[in-house]
Amino acid sequence: MFNLFKLFGAKKVGVALGSGGAKGIAHIAVLEYLSSMGIPIHMLAGSSIGSVISALYACGSLTRFRNDLLAMKKSDMISLFDPVFPKSGFIEGDRFIEFLSRYVPTTARLEDFSIPVNIVATEFFTGKTVVFDSGPVLDAVRASVSIPGVLIPVRRGQSLLVDGGVTNPLPIDVVEHMGADLTIAVNLHPTVVKTKFELLRNNSVNDAGGTETGRMNIKQAAPDNEPAADLSSDGEKDRGIMRYFDKWFRTRESEKTEEKFPTIFEVIGQSIDIMEYMITEMTLQRHRPTVLIEPNLIEMKTLDFLQARSALDEGTRACERQGKALLRKIKRRV
């Protein structure tokens, strides 16, 4: 029998995927959970890592990406970084986009997706939110993931674009503007209070690989039992900087002092987490989603994509915590 109520009562579901670096792997589990519940996704808005997952979902390559991520080793992850001596960031970003092109065709355009996808970035000079709803997908994603101080910003005409999380870490308003009747938001910053803060370096500048004036010293930066880098060629320069990256990522507590300091990436990551938490709190006061899903990944570092399994598991648990709300507020209305 024709159901007239169903025809006029059906609602469009929009999903807002927030920023949060490697914590965003949890987005994959959320989308898988929604699919398992039979909840359709009619549109997506993503900020930073949320833009990556949105694009992968729309391309139909999310499962393949997920499986590859679970098999990734530390050397695979570090190989995605194309480090440069700090100018506008530590990483060029070309290798990361090359990696993503395995899953998102370089010719893909946002307006050609079967479901609408909006990607959020930030204009550096004006501080305004920039929303991409058309154009090359990978260009928009590259702008959206430009973590301040880590990835070099993207030039677009007269604009300089940085991470979407700087102004809009949870783009609920964007997905509402796209026409969503019911909104599901995935907030990766439910808190910024760490119960345990792993500090990788102590407060000795020289021990961290720098001089007393704070300048980089590549010879001192070489990990234990490794030769210092010879910067006479691009290849050697690259390997030398990669060894420096390895020391930043390495978890090691000093045996010389009880006073420990975080690495530069922990300082950047935690500072951004605090900023995005505060902005998200204000966003949620103005734009309350139909269902809010909040994975608890506070201990996960911004660039630690090797913790994929933990992030996926917590993403699933976060959905299960909201299972009844998803059923009552979403599934019964679509």
Side-chain angles (χ1 to χ4, degrees), residues 174-195:
V174 176
V175 82
E176 288 176 347
H177 184 74
M178 294 171 71
D181 302 300
L182 306 172
T183 55
I184 300 171
V186 186
N187 175 25
L188 301 176
H189 298 287
T191 181
V192 292
V193 179
K194 293 181 183 292
T195 57

Side-chain angles (χ1 to χ4, degrees), residues 197-201 251-254 260-263 266:
F197 197 87
E198 293 181 350
L199 303 178
L200 313 188
R201 318 300 296 161
T251 300
R252 185 182 70 182
E253 294 186 353
S254 171
K260 306 174 185 69
F261 271 56
T263 65
E266 285 189 313

Side-chain angles (χ1 to χ4, degrees), residues 120-237:
V120 176
T122 301
E123 214 291 321
F124 177 76
F125 296 112
T126 65
K128 293 182 178 179
T129 296
V130 176
V131 179
F132 292 91
D133 59 7
S134 62
V137 176
L138 290 177
D139 287 355
V141 169
R142 174 61 184 84
S144 185
V145 300
S146 299
I147 302 172
V150 179
L151 271 79
I152 292 175
V154 171
R155 175 73 65 179
R156 183 172 181 259
Q158 297 299 311
S159 296
L160 197 64
L161 302 176
V162 296
D163 198 289
V166 172
T167 54
N168 198 341
L170 189 58
I172 305 170
D173 60 325
V174 176
V175 82
E176 288 176 347
H177 184 74
M178 294 171 71
D181 302 300
L182 306 172
T183 55
I184 300 171
V186 186
N187 175 25
L188 301 176
H189 298 287
T191 181
V192 292
V193 179
K194 293 181 183 292
T195 57
K196 174 185 66 176
F197 197 87
E198 293 181 350
L199 303 178
L200 313 188
R201 318 300 296 161
N202 61 34
N203 64 329
S204 171
V205 176
N206 283 325
D207 184 63
T211 65
E212 291 184 358
T213 58
R215 293 173 296 180
M216 185 182 295
N217 185 321
I218 295 296
K219 289 185 181 296
Q220 289 178 321
D224 300 337
N225 302 320
E226 288 191 23
D230 178 3
L231 304 187
S232 58
S233 68
D234 289 342
E236 288 300 317
K237 175 181 177 180

Side-chain angles (χ1 to χ4, degrees), residues 8-202:
F8 291 101
K11 304 290 185 179
K12 296 289 185 182
V13 178
V15 178
L17 301 181
S19 61
K23 299 179 184 70
I25 298 171
H27 290 323
I28 301 174
V30 172
L31 296 177
E32 290 176 340
Y33 189 90
L34 297 179
S35 176
S36 70
M37 287 192 70
I39 295 175
I41 298 174
H42 299 103
M43 60 201 72
L44 286 157
S47 182
S48 196
I49 187 63
S51 75
V52 176
I53 304 304
S54 296
L56 292 168
Y57 179 86
C59 281
S61 54
L62 193 59
T63 299
R64 184 160 58 92
F65 176 82
R66 173 191 189 275
N67 294 337
D68 289 349
L69 203 59
L70 287 171
M72 185 175 285
K73 300 177 181 178
K74 182 178 180 180
S75 58
D76 299 324
M77 183 184 73
I78 293 180
S79 71
L80 301 181
F81 301 151
D82 37 9
V84 292
F85 277 109
K87 42 181 182 178
S88 299
F90 286 100
I91 301 171
E92 194 79 45
D94 292 344
R95 291 182 190 171
F96 174 67
I97 293 301
E98 182 180 350
F99 169 72
L100 280 186
S101 68
R102 303 177 192 175
Y103 312 95
V104 179
T106 56
T107 56
R109 298 182 65 85
L110 286 166
E111 62 267 31
D112 295 333
F113 281 152
S114 59
I115 64 171
V117 173
N118 279 194
I119 289 176
V120 176
T122 301
E123 214 291 321
F124 177 76
F125 296 112
T126 65
K128 293 182 178 179
T129 296
V130 176
V131 179
F132 292 91
D133 59 7
S134 62
V137 176
L138 290 177
D139 287 355
V141 169
R142 174 61 184 84
S144 185
V145 300
S146 299
I147 302 172
V150 179
L151 271 79
I152 292 175
V154 171
R155 175 73 65 179
R156 183 172 181 259
Q158 297 299 311
S159 296
L160 197 64
L161 302 176
V162 296
D163 198 289
V166 172
T167 54
N168 198 341
L170 189 58
I172 305 170
D173 60 325
V174 176
V175 82
E176 288 176 347
H177 184 74
M178 294 171 71
D181 302 300
L182 306 172
T183 55
I184 300 171
V186 186
N187 175 25
L188 301 176
H189 298 287
T191 181
V192 292
V193 179
K194 293 181 183 292
T195 57
K196 174 185 66 176
F197 197 87
E198 293 181 350
L199 303 178
L200 313 188
R201 318 300 296 161
N202 61 34

